[in-house]
Amino acid sequence: MLEGRPSYAEGHYQCGVCLSHVGQFEEAFVHFSTSAELDASRADAPLGMGICLLSLKRPRKLWMLSARVWKNLQTSKPRSSAKAVALQLSWEMDEALEIYRAVLERNPRCEEALVNW
């Protein structure tokens, strides 16, 4: 798919998802990163990058990434959700729950927060 459309942000994102599901986090990170570069408005690609970095045990790089990439997003929801997921994956459950509660106070139907909380 990407051979014919190397600038297809959604294609890179989906490759990242598939690779992360089979534990290929280095390769998944490359595809998530490419997707984020091709479409800076995507909130899901930086989140995928963050999950890969946590899975690769690189939390310092995750926080550097969050400062650079997530600040460009126009809403705080992806940033809050991404931080909550990062904390959850780091087993910082109390802090993650606080963020999920805040997200649910703003939007009681937020599926991501409901599922993860």
Side-chain angles (χ1 to χ4, degrees), residues 4-79:
R5 294 176 67 187
S7 296
Y8 183 42
E10 179 67 21
H12 282 283
Y13 174 77
Q14 293 301 329
C15 281
V17 169
C18 292
L19 289 165
S20 67
H21 281 293
V22 295
Q24 300 295 318
F25 298 110
E26 292 277 357
E27 292 178 57
F29 180 85
V30 171
H31 285 283
F32 286 132
S33 180
T34 302
S35 179
E37 289 173 18
L38 292 170
D39 183 356
S41 68
R42 294 189 73 104
D44 51 4
L47 179 58
M49 293 165 68
I51 290 169
C52 288
L53 291 173
L54 283 172
S55 298
L56 292 166
K57 311 243 187 289
R58 297 181 191 159
R60 179 173 291 177
K61 190 169 180 179
L62 169 65
W63 297 120
M64 292 180 351
L65 169 79
S66 68
R68 183 176 51 93
V69 176
W70 289 326
K71 73 178 181 179
N72 295 328
L73 298 174
Q74 294 183 5
T75 66
S76 62
K77 178 186 177 258
R79 187 179 307 169

